[in-house]
Amino acid sequence: MNGKPENIYFHMSRINSKTVVICLLDKEWPPQHSFVDGMLADELAKENNIIVRLFVSYNKNKVMPTRYGAAVCIPSLYKRRGILRFLNFWKVWKLINYQIHKENLRNNHIVLFVRNDPIYLLVASQLRKNVKRLVFQSSFPHEIYSGNKFKRQMAKFLYRLSRFSIDSITGVSPEAVARIRKLFGKNLPGVHIPLLSDLPIYPKLSELSDPVRIKPVFIYIGSHSKKREIETILTAIDLSIKRGANAKFLFIGANDQEQRSLRNIPNVKKLLESGSLRIEHPVPRKEIPSILVECHVGICLIPPKPVYYESSPTKLAEYMGAGLAILANRGIPMQEKFIIESDGGILVDWDVNAIMEGILQLVTEKKLISRLGHNSKYYASHKLQYKE
């Protein structure tokens, strides 16, 4: 992986001119996301003679163009739902065509960067002749797994219409880049950029100063949808506690419906009542650092289904940046790579008994938590930052 911004997006002279990177993102305001915050609005936008503009959908309250990190964010696009998704074609065309005309008059270079959305990509492909470069990023196989069959087929059709205008591609893993090349062309230049941590490397960690007395805290932050099979993890936790695991478990990211569903599971009810388990709503990204410093083990357990095969788990990088030991599973290549290279965690199979044994190993060998956490932090500071 080469995370240097100027190598990722363009290879061109910028003498006596600026490069304006116009980003069409599949996000609503505010576009809080590891790649957006850490790469586009920070590292890339801070490069000399580079201007970054982020175009996103507005939410309930329209927001005027505003600073977002070192970039400018324009929350002017329609929400990407229903008929509005298609009306965005004309909205994007009008906005981006104006931006291109303005910057061409200033003799600036223009790079169009599109993230995931096929409508945005179609517009960008039509405007390609007026810019220097068009880069497409696909962070998830939406054309295979998202929405209904009509939506997936429409995405593939729009991708085919756009494929000859794309200059380069990016994905979050080598597997993602390989998939995108099948869609757009085997010879397209491409680079994989894992979803790294834009959160700070923490100067002070919650150390296990007395491994015998401290009750370690395991934390899971992320989706609680049915596809993530959280019940498998909770069943393993229940079994580990019945086997004598003296630990606490914190789950963050469940909406009201997901919480109700999980709380109705008999064993989960008991865990909640005993105080061994807490299930909380999502929290703003800015609050995550203060939560992680109170924890010891990051849970990064993802069902090894084809839909998740090319995943680059953002939370894994954030856990490691906070100096947490990691409990992760095999079957997700990028995840396995981080754990093996860092020696910052243990890998288990996606199986209730295997997960239970992993929990018991960490709780029993508490000095192991400290060692793995130290390795995690070192690896994150050297390998998992957008900054070089």
Side-chain angles (χ1 to χ4, degrees), residues 255-265:
N255 61 32
D256 290 338
Q257 183 179 344
E258 290 162 348
Q259 286 202 29
R260 283 194 296 270
S261 177
L262 292 172
R263 290 174 190 277
N264 285 331
I265 301 170

Side-chain angles (χ1 to χ4, degrees), residues 292-356:
L292 292 182
V293 294
E294 299 299 325
C295 302
H296 306 96
V297 180
I299 298 174
C300 205
L301 297 167
I302 305 171
K305 299 176 177 178
V307 65
Y308 298 125
Y309 181 72
E310 64 184 53
S311 296
S312 172
T314 314
K315 290 299 177 287
L316 175 59
E318 293 175 356
Y319 296 154
M320 296 180 86
L324 273 60
I326 308 298
L327 175 62
N329 63 283
R330 301 180 182 90
I332 311 295
M334 186 62 70
Q335 184 163 275
E336 291 185 25
K337 171 183 166 67
F338 286 178
I339 299 299
I340 292 170
E341 287 185 354
S342 67
D343 189 25
I346 62 174
L347 288 166
V348 299
D349 292 330
W350 179 261
D351 171 81
V352 168
N353 288 324
I355 295 171
M356 174 195 69

Side-chain angles (χ1 to χ4, degrees), residues 261-272:
S261 177
L262 292 172
R263 290 174 190 277
N264 285 331
I265 301 170
N267 290 341
V268 174
K269 236 180 199 178
K270 292 179 183 177
L271 291 172
L272 291 166

Side-chain angles (χ1 to χ4, degrees), residues 212-244:
V212 177
R213 296 176 58 190
I214 295 288
K215 181 182 285 191
V217 179
F218 290 65
I219 185 166
Y220 171 95
I221 304 177
S223 171
H224 286 62
S225 69
K226 287 185 178 180
K227 291 180 180 179
R228 297 304 287 262
E229 300 180 17
I230 300 297
E231 189 173 347
T232 298
I233 306 172
L234 295 176
T235 301
I237 290 171
D238 179 54
L239 291 175
S240 70
I241 288 177
K242 287 176 179 175
R243 289 270 300 271

Side-chain angles (χ1 to χ4, degrees), residues 75 111 132 274 293 300 325 385:
V111 176
K132 292 289 184 183
S274 69
V293 294
C300 205
Q385 297 292 299

Side-chain angles (χ1 to χ4, degrees), residues 22 74 77 97 109 120 125 159 168 180 204 255 268 275 315 345 355 363:
I22 297 174
I74 301 98
L77 306 182
N97 198 40
H109 292 153
Y120 297 170
S125 71
Y159 286 158
S168 58
I180 303 165
K204 184 178 180 181
N255 61 32
V268 174
K315 290 299 177 287
I355 295 171
V363 172

